[in-house]
Amino acid sequence: MLEKYEYMSFQLDAVLFTIVFFLFIIDMILIYSMMLSDVEERTYEFAMLRTLGFKNRSLVILLLLQSTFFSLPATLMGFAMLYILTYGA
């Protein structure tokens, strides 16, 4: 009976790992898509900032902060759901 439980546990862990892996890939694609559309929408604003004296490095830091603000809430919610599903079940 213990062997069956260990086998089922291993299979369940493998399936859950696969699901988490694909969700991570989908999350990366979604954040990339959001950033790409945001940059396309704000090209004029970035040009104005460059005209006013912003350096390329400052714009890159601005975009990195924005992508962090996109991904941080999703990551925190994901970990919260992981905790609830792992220890709730």
Side-chain angles (χ1 to χ4, degrees), residues 4-30:
K4 288 182 182 180
Y5 174 75
E6 288 177 1
Y7 180 74
M8 287 176 51
S9 175
F10 175 75
Q11 291 294 329
L12 185 61
D13 287 343
V15 168
L16 290 177
F17 176 77
T18 304
I19 291 170
V20 168
F21 177 76
F22 282 116
L23 287 175
F24 180 74
I25 298 296
I26 291 170
D27 182 45
M28 286 183 7
I29 293 170
L30 178 66

mmCIF file of all heavy atoms in Angstrom, residues 4-30:
data_model
loop_
_atom_site.group_PDB
_atom_site.id
_atom_site.type_symbol
_atom_site.label_atom_id
_atom_site.label_comp_id
_atom_site.label_asym_id
_atom_site.label_seq_id
_atom_site.Cartn_x
_atom_site.Cartn_y
_atom_site.Cartn_z
ATOM 1 N N LYS A 4 2.194 2.034 -3.504
ATOM 2 C CA LYS A 4 1.188 2.661 -4.352
ATOM 3 C C LYS A 4 1.052 4.142 -4.024
ATOM 4 O O LYS A 4 0.941 4.977 -4.918
ATOM 5 C CB LYS A 4 -0.166 1.968 -4.193
ATOM 6 C CG LYS A 4 -0.233 0.598 -4.821
ATOM 7 C CD LYS A 4 -1.604 0.010 -4.663
ATOM 8 C CE LYS A 4 -1.664 -1.388 -5.262
ATOM 9 N NZ LYS A 4 -2.997 -1.972 -5.108
ATOM 10 N N TYR A 5 1.080 4.471 -2.731
ATOM 11 C CA TYR A 5 0.975 5.861 -2.320
ATOM 12 C C TYR A 5 2.176 6.660 -2.817
ATOM 13 O O TYR A 5 2.015 7.771 -3.316
ATOM 14 C CB TYR A 5 0.880 5.957 -0.791
ATOM 15 C CG TYR A 5 0.910 7.374 -0.294
ATOM 16 C CD1 TYR A 5 -0.202 8.196 -0.431
ATOM 17 C CD2 TYR A 5 2.054 7.910 0.288
ATOM 18 C CE1 TYR A 5 -0.178 9.504 0.007
ATOM 19 C CE2 TYR A 5 2.094 9.209 0.730
ATOM 20 C CZ TYR A 5 0.976 10.000 0.587
ATOM 21 O OH TYR A 5 1.008 11.295 1.016
ATOM 22 N N GLU A 6 3.363 6.105 -2.694
ATOM 23 C CA GLU A 6 4.566 6.801 -3.169
ATOM 24 C C GLU A 6 4.529 6.981 -4.687
ATOM 25 O O GLU A 6 4.921 8.028 -5.196
ATOM 26 C CB GLU A 6 5.821 6.036 -2.760
ATOM 27 C CG GLU A 6 6.120 6.107 -1.290
ATOM 28 C CD GLU A 6 7.340 5.279 -0.900
ATOM 29 O OE1 GLU A 6 7.951 4.662 -1.797
ATOM 30 O OE2 GLU A 6 7.662 5.272 0.282
ATOM 31 N N TYR A 7 4.071 5.980 -5.404
ATOM 32 C CA TYR A 7 3.974 6.067 -6.860
ATOM 33 C C TYR A 7 2.965 7.136 -7.259
ATOM 34 O O TYR A 7 3.229 7.950 -8.138
ATOM 35 C CB TYR A 7 3.587 4.704 -7.452
ATOM 36 C CG TYR A 7 3.468 4.716 -8.941
ATOM 37 C CD1 TYR A 7 4.606 4.774 -9.747
ATOM 38 C CD2 TYR A 7 2.228 4.689 -9.560
ATOM 39 C CE1 TYR A 7 4.505 4.804 -11.126
ATOM 40 C CE2 TYR A 7 2.114 4.713 -10.937
ATOM 41 C CZ TYR A 7 3.259 4.769 -11.717
ATOM 42 O OH TYR A 7 3.152 4.803 -13.075
ATOM 43 N N MET A 8 1.809 7.163 -6.621
ATOM 44 C CA MET A 8 0.789 8.159 -6.920
ATOM 45 C C MET A 8 1.289 9.562 -6.567
ATOM 46 O O MET A 8 1.039 10.519 -7.303
ATOM 47 C CB MET A 8 -0.504 7.847 -6.178
ATOM 48 C CG MET A 8 -1.245 6.661 -6.770
ATOM 49 S SD MET A 8 -2.725 6.188 -5.859
ATOM 50 C CE MET A 8 -3.586 7.702 -5.691
ATOM 51 N N SER A 9 1.991 9.666 -5.456
ATOM 52 C CA SER A 9 2.535 10.960 -5.048
ATOM 53 C C SER A 9 3.557 11.461 -6.066
ATOM 54 O O SER A 9 3.568 12.646 -6.415
ATOM 55 C CB SER A 9 3.171 10.845 -3.671
ATOM 56 O OG SER A 9 3.787 12.044 -3.308
ATOM 57 N N PHE A 10 4.407 10.563 -6.552
ATOM 58 C CA PHE A 10 5.394 10.934 -7.559
ATOM 59 C C PHE A 10 4.718 11.387 -8.847
ATOM 60 O O PHE A 10 5.112 12.387 -9.447
ATOM 61 C CB PHE A 10 6.335 9.753 -7.828
ATOM 62 C CG PHE A 10 7.311 10.018 -8.930
ATOM 63 C CD1 PHE A 10 8.392 10.854 -8.723
ATOM 64 C CD2 PHE A 10 7.132 9.444 -10.180
ATOM 65 C CE1 PHE A 10 9.294 11.108 -9.736
ATOM 66 C CE2 PHE A 10 8.028 9.692 -11.204
ATOM 67 C CZ PHE A 10 9.111 10.523 -10.980
ATOM 68 N N GLN A 11 3.694 10.662 -9.271
ATOM 69 C CA GLN A 11 2.974 11.015 -10.488
ATOM 70 C C GLN A 11 2.271 12.364 -10.349
ATOM 71 O O GLN A 11 2.302 13.192 -11.252
ATOM 72 C CB GLN A 11 1.946 9.926 -10.852
ATOM 73 C CG GLN A 11 2.558 8.632 -11.292
ATOM 74 C CD GLN A 11 3.309 8.787 -12.603
ATOM 75 O OE1 GLN A 11 2.959 9.594 -13.445
ATOM 76 N NE2 GLN A 11 4.355 8.010 -12.762
ATOM 77 N N LEU A 12 1.654 12.586 -9.200
ATOM 78 C CA LEU A 12 0.967 13.844 -8.954
ATOM 79 C C LEU A 12 1.963 15.001 -8.929
ATOM 80 O O LEU A 12 1.693 16.070 -9.490
ATOM 81 C CB LEU A 12 0.194 13.784 -7.640
ATOM 82 C CG LEU A 12 -0.663 14.987 -7.304
ATOM 83 C CD1 LEU A 12 -1.729 15.195 -8.371
ATOM 84 C CD2 LEU A 12 -1.294 14.827 -5.943
ATOM 85 N N ASP A 13 3.110 14.805 -8.304
ATOM 86 C CA ASP A 13 4.146 15.837 -8.285
ATOM 87 C C ASP A 13 4.628 16.153 -9.698
ATOM 88 O O ASP A 13 4.854 17.317 -10.042
ATOM 89 C CB ASP A 13 5.328 15.413 -7.417
ATOM 90 C CG ASP A 13 5.017 15.454 -5.934
ATOM 91 O OD1 ASP A 13 4.022 16.096 -5.555
ATOM 92 O OD2 ASP A 13 5.778 14.847 -5.160
ATOM 93 N N ALA A 14 4.795 15.148 -10.520
ATOM 94 C CA ALA A 14 5.249 15.360 -11.898
ATOM 95 C C ALA A 14 4.211 16.141 -12.701
ATOM 96 O O ALA A 14 4.558 17.055 -13.457
ATOM 97 C CB ALA A 14 5.546 14.022 -12.570
ATOM 98 N N VAL A 15 2.949 15.806 -12.534
ATOM 99 C CA VAL A 15 1.879 16.508 -13.250
ATOM 100 C C VAL A 15 1.801 17.959 -12.780
ATOM 101 O O VAL A 15 1.704 18.888 -13.601
ATOM 102 C CB VAL A 15 0.525 15.791 -13.055
ATOM 103 C CG1 VAL A 15 -0.621 16.656 -13.537
ATOM 104 C CG2 VAL A 15 0.533 14.461 -13.764
ATOM 105 N N LEU A 16 1.868 18.183 -11.477
ATOM 106 C CA LEU A 16 1.796 19.545 -10.960
ATOM 107 C C LEU A 16 3.002 20.375 -11.390
ATOM 108 O O LEU A 16 2.877 21.555 -11.706
ATOM 109 C CB LEU A 16 1.661 19.530 -9.436
ATOM 110 C CG LEU A 16 0.322 19.034 -8.912
ATOM 111 C CD1 LEU A 16 0.331 18.991 -7.397
ATOM 112 C CD2 LEU A 16 -0.814 19.894 -9.415
ATOM 113 N N PHE A 17 4.169 19.760 -11.424
ATOM 114 C CA PHE A 17 5.360 20.470 -11.889
ATOM 115 C C PHE A 17 5.206 20.875 -13.348
ATOM 116 O O PHE A 17 5.559 21.988 -13.734
ATOM 117 C CB PHE A 17 6.616 19.615 -11.711
ATOM 118 C CG PHE A 17 7.850 20.265 -12.255
ATOM 119 C CD1 PHE A 17 8.473 21.275 -11.543
ATOM 120 C CD2 PHE A 17 8.372 19.891 -13.480
ATOM 121 C CE1 PHE A 17 9.604 21.895 -12.036
ATOM 122 C CE2 PHE A 17 9.496 20.506 -13.989
ATOM 123 C CZ PHE A 17 10.119 21.509 -13.265
ATOM 124 N N THR A 18 4.664 19.995 -14.153
ATOM 125 C CA THR A 18 4.445 20.295 -15.565
ATOM 126 C C THR A 18 3.459 21.450 -15.727
ATOM 127 O O THR A 18 3.685 22.359 -16.533
ATOM 128 C CB THR A 18 3.931 19.049 -16.310
ATOM 129 O OG1 THR A 18 4.852 17.982 -16.112
ATOM 130 C CG2 THR A 18 3.756 19.320 -17.788
ATOM 131 N N ILE A 19 2.396 21.438 -14.944
ATOM 132 C CA ILE A 19 1.408 22.510 -15.005
ATOM 133 C C ILE A 19 2.031 23.833 -14.590
ATOM 134 O O ILE A 19 1.850 24.857 -15.258
ATOM 135 C CB ILE A 19 0.183 22.170 -14.130
ATOM 136 C CG1 ILE A 19 -0.603 21.013 -14.743
ATOM 137 C CG2 ILE A 19 -0.715 23.389 -13.948
ATOM 138 C CD1 ILE A 19 -1.679 20.461 -13.846
ATOM 139 N N VAL A 20 2.784 23.828 -13.509
ATOM 140 C CA VAL A 20 3.432 25.056 -13.034
ATOM 141 C C VAL A 20 4.433 25.564 -14.070
ATOM 142 O O VAL A 20 4.529 26.768 -14.320
ATOM 143 C CB VAL A 20 4.103 24.822 -11.671
ATOM 144 C CG1 VAL A 20 5.015 25.964 -11.300
ATOM 145 C CG2 VAL A 20 3.061 24.616 -10.592
ATOM 146 N N PHE A 21 5.163 24.666 -14.691
ATOM 147 C CA PHE A 21 6.137 25.060 -15.707
ATOM 148 C C PHE A 21 5.455 25.755 -16.876
ATOM 149 O O PHE A 21 5.879 26.827 -17.315
ATOM 150 C CB PHE A 21 6.924 23.832 -16.182
ATOM 151 C CG PHE A 21 7.892 24.145 -17.282
ATOM 152 C CD1 PHE A 21 9.077 24.788 -17.008
ATOM 153 C CD2 PHE A 21 7.601 23.793 -18.597
ATOM 154 C CE1 PHE A 21 9.977 25.078 -18.021
ATOM 155 C CE2 PHE A 21 8.478 24.074 -19.617
ATOM 156 C CZ PHE A 21 9.677 24.726 -19.331
ATOM 157 N N PHE A 22 4.369 25.171 -17.380
ATOM 158 C CA PHE A 22 3.662 25.779 -18.506
ATOM 159 C C PHE A 22 2.987 27.085 -18.109
ATOM 160 O O PHE A 22 2.936 28.030 -18.905
ATOM 161 C CB PHE A 22 2.657 24.803 -19.118
ATOM 162 C CG PHE A 22 3.300 23.786 -20.000
ATOM 163 C CD1 PHE A 22 3.273 22.440 -19.679
ATOM 164 C CD2 PHE A 22 3.967 24.168 -21.148
ATOM 165 C CE1 PHE A 22 3.887 21.502 -20.484
ATOM 166 C CE2 PHE A 22 4.579 23.244 -21.968
ATOM 167 C CZ PHE A 22 4.541 21.906 -21.629
ATOM 168 N N LEU A 23 2.474 27.180 -16.884
ATOM 169 C CA LEU A 23 1.907 28.441 -16.427
ATOM 170 C C LEU A 23 2.973 29.524 -16.339
ATOM 171 O O LEU A 23 2.715 30.693 -16.633
ATOM 172 C CB LEU A 23 1.208 28.261 -15.080
ATOM 173 C CG LEU A 23 -0.118 27.518 -15.128
ATOM 174 C CD1 LEU A 23 -0.649 27.295 -13.716
ATOM 175 C CD2 LEU A 23 -1.118 28.261 -15.973
ATOM 176 N N PHE A 24 4.175 29.151 -15.933
ATOM 177 C CA PHE A 24 5.285 30.097 -15.874
ATOM 178 C C PHE A 24 5.630 30.602 -17.269
ATOM 179 O O PHE A 24 5.834 31.811 -17.477
ATOM 180 C CB PHE A 24 6.501 29.436 -15.220
ATOM 181 C CG PHE A 24 7.691 30.331 -15.123
ATOM 182 C CD1 PHE A 24 7.725 31.353 -14.194
ATOM 183 C CD2 PHE A 24 8.774 30.150 -15.961
ATOM 184 C CE1 PHE A 24 8.820 32.194 -14.104
ATOM 185 C CE2 PHE A 24 9.876 30.976 -15.884
ATOM 186 C CZ PHE A 24 9.905 32.007 -14.952
ATOM 187 N N ILE A 25 5.660 29.704 -18.242
ATOM 188 C CA ILE A 25 5.945 30.102 -19.621
ATOM 189 C C ILE A 25 4.854 31.034 -20.145
ATOM 190 O O ILE A 25 5.149 32.066 -20.776
ATOM 191 C CB ILE A 25 6.078 28.861 -20.531
ATOM 192 C CG1 ILE A 25 7.243 27.987 -20.097
ATOM 193 C CG2 ILE A 25 6.200 29.264 -21.998
ATOM 194 C CD1 ILE A 25 8.588 28.646 -20.222
ATOM 195 N N ILE A 26 3.592 30.709 -19.881
ATOM 196 C CA ILE A 26 2.480 31.551 -20.314
ATOM 197 C C ILE A 26 2.550 32.914 -19.637
ATOM 198 O O ILE A 26 2.296 33.953 -20.266
ATOM 199 C CB ILE A 26 1.133 30.858 -20.035
ATOM 200 C CG1 ILE A 26 0.966 29.661 -20.965
ATOM 201 C CG2 ILE A 26 -0.040 31.829 -20.195
ATOM 202 C CD1 ILE A 26 -0.205 28.781 -20.620
ATOM 203 N N ASP A 27 2.927 32.945 -18.375
ATOM 204 C CA ASP A 27 3.079 34.198 -17.646
ATOM 205 C C ASP A 27 4.163 35.067 -18.275
ATOM 206 O O ASP A 27 3.987 36.271 -18.440
ATOM 207 C CB ASP A 27 3.403 33.915 -16.184
ATOM 208 C CG ASP A 27 3.516 35.175 -15.373
ATOM 209 O OD1 ASP A 27 2.657 36.054 -15.530
ATOM 210 O OD2 ASP A 27 4.476 35.270 -14.568
ATOM 211 N N MET A 28 5.279 34.468 -18.641
ATOM 212 C CA MET A 28 6.356 35.227 -19.276
ATOM 213 C C MET A 28 5.897 35.804 -20.623
ATOM 214 O O MET A 28 6.195 36.951 -20.942
ATOM 215 C CB MET A 28 7.596 34.351 -19.465
ATOM 216 C CG MET A 28 8.322 34.083 -18.191
ATOM 217 S SD MET A 28 9.843 33.119 -18.288
ATOM 218 C CE MET A 28 10.190 32.898 -19.970
ATOM 219 N N ILE A 29 5.166 35.013 -21.392
ATOM 220 C CA ILE A 29 4.666 35.484 -22.681
ATOM 221 C C ILE A 29 3.665 36.627 -22.483
ATOM 222 O O ILE A 29 3.688 37.621 -23.221
ATOM 223 C CB ILE A 29 4.034 34.322 -23.476
ATOM 224 C CG1 ILE A 29 5.114 33.324 -23.883
ATOM 225 C CG2 ILE A 29 3.269 34.840 -24.687
ATOM 226 C CD1 ILE A 29 4.577 32.034 -24.444
ATOM 227 N N LEU A 30 2.819 36.516 -21.483
ATOM 228 C CA LEU A 30 1.830 37.559 -21.211
ATOM 229 C C LEU A 30 2.504 38.860 -20.804
ATOM 230 O O LEU A 30 2.145 39.935 -21.294
ATOM 231 C CB LEU A 30 0.862 37.096 -20.125
ATOM 232 C CG LEU A 30 -0.198 38.101 -19.708
ATOM 233 C CD1 LEU A 30 -1.153 38.354 -20.860
ATOM 234 C CD2 LEU A 30 -0.931 37.620 -18.489
#
